[in-house]
Amino acid sequence: MQPKTLALIDDDAEYSEFLTQYLQEQQGIAVSRFDDSNALLASPEAFSFDFYLVDLMLPGVNGVELIKILRRRTDAGVVVVSGRLGPEVFREVITAGADMYLVKPVQFEQVSLAIAAVQRRVAKPSAADAVWKLDRASGELVVPDGTRIQLSEADRQLLECFAQANGEPVTREALLNKLGREVPDGEADDGLSATIYRLRRRIERATPTLVPLQSKSRVGYVFRAPLQLI
């Protein structure tokens, strides 16, 4: 599954040109290129794209701040493709609201696969009444397609929070408290991003159903589908 429209924000002209050509000709995606984050934000269509590919080292607003701005205005998929390395960079971009982080150099096919994987997750469910269920007795998540997924204790605690939130965002602090973890001061790594990532991957490996678990910049996470406790 690929998005129909995509904004590519990267100041590497040669890389952007060839990636755009690949995505348009091989994947059928309508790509709009921006070599400056301010150019994207000044565009009338800035928040109407189905997907965003973002570099971190950009003229104008830096990549992390751009992701935060996007997350305040859109639920579209966001993938970071950057040469910056390090666990602190990963935490920074995921906390800002990115769905995935790829490190340059990266093959165009890998970028395409990442876009498709994230798009499956963020696309709106086809049926509004597709109900997910958390079976507390068996410790399983019941997917709308009938698949039952065995959960870890941390998974169950997180999903209980999302069920009680009734589709509203849950703060990082609330999730950490539910897990019995301390809320760190400053930029200390609380490990929540990694816990959420493992939960997503557990679900994605078990079912092709879109996973409605998304990050919300400056807030936490949200489960964008009915989730019932049984």
Side-chain angles (χ1 to χ4, degrees), residues 2 14 16 46 52 63 71 75 78 86 104 108 112-113 116 134 142 152 182 184 188 191 194 198 213 218 227:
Q2 296 287 13
E14 183 177 4
S16 297
Y52 296 83
R71 273 291 164 255
D75 290 323
V78 177
K104 293 179 180 178
F108 291 164
S112 175
L113 290 171
L134 177 58
V142 184
S152 69
E182 293 185 2
R198 286 193 293 269
L213 178 54
R218 298 180 181 273
L227 178 59

Side-chain angles (χ1 to χ4, degrees), residues 49-159:
F49 292 98
D50 296 329
F51 209 96
Y52 296 83
L53 281 181
V54 181
D55 189 17
L56 294 181
M57 301 179 67
L58 291 168
V61 176
N62 70 51
V64 172
E65 290 303 315
L66 177 60
I67 294 167
K68 293 177 181 178
I69 293 170
L70 291 173
R71 273 291 164 255
R72 289 196 289 269
R73 298 290 298 274
T74 176
D75 290 323
V78 177
V79 168
V80 170
V81 185
S82 173
R84 288 182 59 190
L85 296 171
E88 72 286 350
V89 179
F90 174 82
R91 180 183 184 277
E92 191 176 18
V93 299
I94 295 300
T95 300
D99 296 288
M100 193 176 293
Y101 173 46
L102 302 178
V103 180
K104 293 179 180 178
V106 61
Q107 296 179 357
F108 291 164
E109 182 181 5
Q110 292 174 302
V111 176
S112 175
L113 290 171
I115 293 170
V118 172
Q119 184 65 15
R120 284 196 301 269
R121 182 163 68 233
V122 302
K124 295 184 183 301
S126 58
D129 60 347
V131 179
W132 298 64
K133 299 177 181 179
L134 177 58
D135 188 336
R136 288 182 288 186
S138 65
E140 295 175 318
L141 177 65
V142 184
V143 183
D145 66 6
T147 302
R148 300 182 72 93
I149 303 170
Q150 190 66 44
L151 302 170
S152 69
E153 179 60 26
D155 294 337
R156 291 195 294 272
Q157 296 291 339
L158 290 175
L159 288 169

Side-chain angles (χ1 to χ4, degrees), residues 134 158-167 170 223 225-229:
L134 177 58
L158 290 175
L159 288 169
E160 281 194 17
C161 268
F162 292 125
Q164 293 163 358
N166 293 316
V170 182
F223 199 89
L227 178 59
Q228 295 180 354
L229 296 173

